[in-house]
Amino acid sequence: MTEYDYDLIVIGSGPGGQKAAIAAAKLGKHVAVVDRHDMVGGVCVNTGTIPSKTLREAVLYLTGMSQRELYGASYQVKQDITIADLLSRTQHVVGREIQVVRAQLLRNHVELLTGTGRFLDAHTIAVEGSHRGDRHTITGDKVVIATGTSPARPSEVDFDAARVLDSDEILQLQEIPSTLVVVGAGVIGIEYASMFAALGSRVTVVEQRERMLDFCDPEIVESLKFHLRDLAVTFRFGEKVANVEVNDHATVTTLVSGKRIPADAVMYSAGRQGMTEELDLAAAGLEADHRGRLKVDEHYRTPVEHIYAVGDVIGFPALAATSMDQGRLAAYHAFGEPANELGSLQPIGIYTIPEISYVGATEAELTASAVPYEVGTARYRELARGQIAGDSYGMLKLLVSTTNRTLLGVHVFGTGATDLVHIGQAVMGCGGTVDYLVDAVFNYPTLSEAYKVAALDATNKIRALDRFAT
Ligand SMILES: Cc1cc2nc3c(=O)[nH]c(=O)nc-3n(C[C@H](O)[C@H](O)[C@H](O)COP(=O)(O)OP(=O)(O)OC[C@H]3O[C@@H](n4cnc5c(N)ncnc54)[C@H](O)[C@@H]3O)c2cc1C
């Protein structure tokens, strides 16, 4: 029988890798996680989710943005906000999160090997730049690849890590730009565009498609665009970047249409590429697609049966939330532990200012598949809590089946959207109907009460239809 150094080797310590390692350790397995010393916790903790969400919180607090309806348009907690003000909070939270990850691995006797992992064969991995010397070779019975992604960088653009940056580098800006071009209106691009706009930067968003966030409810995306335009964001839809010129003081972005946009800085957020180049996949009998992603089956198994892949490196939905569960399920499958599949009802959260969240179907999807539904809407300004919080623009929309009164979708825009959505998710997940929300008593005053208001709106409309029929 072959003896391996570890039952499981995990490459990458982001959410997918961490949870795979912990799940295997809880099953009594001997586990090692490999990652670079400055990347413990992955993109999630170091350059992606955690820094961007902390930055957002700092922006909201320091600008006093969410209090302006109450105290006036010029209200600001700190007058001259500097990049140092923003980064101190971000660095604090990132530092604490890294400690949490390290402590969790340690507590569960998972060995953290620092370095870059590369396959020598399907069970053997070289860890280069490791703390045990320049190169260290380890063997594992099972392997989980959780190497995530890095920002795609178009070859025609010279990234200088100072004025022309990708989204992983944006926190290296030396000062808050007065003007900023954001290339790409995907989730990451539009989140950062809204944060810099809230800080007072004049932001131009360039997007080659004609629309943005087209997987979301169009009414909510319109509301977001209205808000961002109000914060001096200019949208250039249907436009492509031809090139970006940069000198010591500024940049000029030239579009294929001939428009030239001067700005202090440019942030590229035009997709991400699977981090598989350094893995030497061929040595393990694997190959990635043209975007560096790996193919897996329903158990997160690659074509080489003992090698699993989870998280962003396998593509959609590429979220921290799903990556964690994929890691856990891959480890369970690898060691024969029975587990339920991942629930199909997964929420989407977009941390723009204001934020967006939804679960279930959109109106466009229901209409395309000819599913009859009614809409129930609650506006935050009709809720006492909305008035108290100074949020008059927020809204919650329920899509309700007119056939059996089940909830088909929940769409939220405004304060607390990414938390509020889970109430709808729970009702939908348990097969609940709109009547549960009509009959339930909610704390008052809360934003959750929006569910009741929207449910009453939907049921009143359905009742009007029923009356007509009788
Ligand atoms: C700006 C931004 C904001 C985001 N916001 C959200 C959000 O609000 N909510 C959400 O759910 N998701 C968000 N995401 C997505 C989320 O960060 C990812 O889905 C998640 O981090 C993916 O986890 P992962 O396990 O694939 O690994 P990652 O977090 O991508 O980490 C991969 C790790 O693998 C390591 N690695 C790569 N190659 C090697 C190698 N050869 N050897 C050793 N180690 C290697 C890397 O150093 C890295 O540490 C955001 C992403 C970005 C960029």
Side-chain angles (χ1 to χ4, degrees):
M1 224 176 82
T2 318
E3 185 116 325
Y4 298 105
D5 298 329
Y6 298 96
D7 297 315
L8 174 67
I9 297 172
V10 179
I11 312 177
S13 66
Q18 268 167 55
K19 300 302 172 200
I22 301 292
K26 298 273 187 213
L27 297 175
K29 303 296 171 189
H30 186 207
V31 185
V33 173
V34 182
D35 208 326
R36 296 91 192 267
H37 83 278
D38 57 347
M39 282 300 287
V40 173
V43 165
C44 176
V45 166
N46 294 280
T47 53
T49 315
I50 300 300
S52 65
K53 263 76 266 186
T54 313
L55 185 73
R56 179 182 187 275
E57 210 61 35
V59 169
L60 278 176
Y61 174 70
L62 291 169
T63 61
M65 192 82 194
S66 53
Q67 304 296 313
R68 288 195 190 152
E69 279 194 28
L70 301 167
Y71 300 121
S74 60
Y75 177 77
Q76 183 136 337
V77 170
K78 186 169 188 292
Q79 280 315 311
D80 297 309
I81 301 169
T82 64
I83 207 88
D85 294 326
L86 300 170
L87 291 190
S88 63
R89 185 162 180 164
T90 309
Q91 282 158 358
H92 172 80
V93 175
V94 168
R96 297 298 282 263
E97 280 289 296
I98 292 171
Q99 283 176 24
V100 169
V101 173
R102 281 185 180 277
Q104 202 183 22
L105 295 177
L106 194 70
R107 214 172 42 241
N108 286 282
H109 310 291
V110 174
E111 281 184 45
L112 180 60
L113 307 177
T114 48
T116 300
R118 182 167 61 82
F119 283 100
L120 297 179
D121 64 46
H123 287 280
T124 312
I125 286 152
V127 183
E128 279 154 5
S130 130
H131 65 299
R132 296 184 196 187
D134 271 339
R135 187 169 141 178
H136 177 67
T137 300
I138 50 175
T139 57
D141 183 14
K142 313 275 181 188
V143 179
V144 171
I145 300 172
T147 49
T149 54
S150 59
R153 286 172 163 232
S155 53
E156 69 275 15
V157 179
D158 285 332
F159 290 86
D160 66 354
R163 293 196 177 274
V164 185
L165 308 111
D166 63 39
S167 61
D168 277 8
E169 297 170 327
I170 194 73
L171 298 167
Q172 295 169 22
L173 273 175
Q174 297 299 307
E175 53 192 30
I176 297 168
S178 309
T179 45
L180 174 72
V181 170
V182 172
V183 183
V187 173
I188 295 171
I190 213 69
E191 284 184 358
Y192 276 120
S194 75
M195 287 184 234
F196 281 97
L199 284 167
S201 306
R202 269 183 296 122
V203 180
T204 304
V205 176
V206 181
E207 168 58 55
Q208 59 182 0
R209 283 169 301 183
E210 293 297 337
R211 295 184 305 171
M212 66 177 200
L213 309 179
D214 48 10
F215 49 93
C216 293
D217 180 83
E219 194 181 350
I220 285 179
V221 176
E222 273 314 307
S223 300
L224 177 66
K225 283 194 330 208
F226 174 83
H227 263 79
L228 294 183
R229 286 196 173 107
D230 203 40
L231 289 174
V233 174
T234 303
F235 290 101
R236 296 282 178 218
F237 288 113
E239 298 261 24
K240 267 191 174 163
V241 173
N243 65 63
V244 179
E245 294 157 81
V246 60
N247 65 21
D248 289 346
H249 317 288
T251 67
V252 173
T253 302
T254 304
L255 307 186
V256 171
S257 65
K259 292 186 191 73
R260 284 164 61 79
I261 313 168
D264 291 344
V266 178
M267 186 192 90
Y268 255 82
S269 173
R272 297 182 66 91
Q273 188 79 16
M275 288 266 283
T276 43
E277 239 174 39
E278 289 171 293
L279 284 174
D280 200 355
L281 290 171
L286 287 170
E287 61 175 349
D289 69 11
H290 68 288
R291 290 186 57 194
R293 291 171 309 197
L294 288 164
K295 236 194 169 74
V296 291
D297 67 12
E298 70 276 23
H299 302 298
Y300 307 103
R301 217 168 19 177
T302 67
V304 178
E305 287 219 337
H306 70 277
I307 303 181
Y308 292 71
V310 299
D312 286 13
V313 76
I314 63 168
F316 183 83
L319 290 170
T322 39
S323 302
M324 292 184 210
D325 276 319
Q326 292 170 356
R328 180 177 57 86
L329 293 176
Y332 283 167
H333 188 268
F335 298 110
E337 181 73 8
N340 293 328
E341 276 179 24
L342 212 56
S344 58
L345 203 60
Q346 294 171 6
I348 298 289
I350 304 176
Y351 293 82
T352 37
I353 300 175
E355 66 194 59
I356 295 176
S357 196
Y358 78 88
V359 66
T362 62
E363 288 199 63
E365 284 164 357
L366 295 177
T367 305
S369 43
V371 175
Y373 67 94
E374 190 50 88
V375 180
T377 307
R379 307 225 168 247
Y380 282 17
R381 63 170 176 267
E382 296 165 331
L383 307 172
R385 188 79 210 181
Q387 294 293 350
I388 294 167
D391 181 336
S392 61
Y393 47 83
M395 64 179 280
L396 181 143
K397 202 160 123 170
L398 297 180
L399 308 183
V400 180
S401 163
T402 47
T403 322
N404 60 13
R405 299 169 79 87
T406 52
L407 291 191
L408 302 171
V410 178
H411 300 263
V412 197
F413 176 66
T415 309
T418 50
D419 268 322
L420 278 176
V421 76
H422 297 123
I423 297 177
Q425 183 186 0
V427 175
M428 289 174 73
C430 297
T433 66
V434 67
D435 301 303
Y436 168 78
L437 295 169
V438 169
D439 298 336
V441 175
F442 288 82
N443 278 332
Y444 175 89
T446 57
L447 292 176
S448 308
E449 212 201 330
Y451 275 98
K452 192 175 186 95
V453 174
L456 285 166
D457 185 38
T459 48
N460 285 335
K461 288 175 183 164
I462 294 171
R463 191 174 295 119
L465 276 177
D466 291 346
R467 273 211 209 99
F468 179 78
T470 51

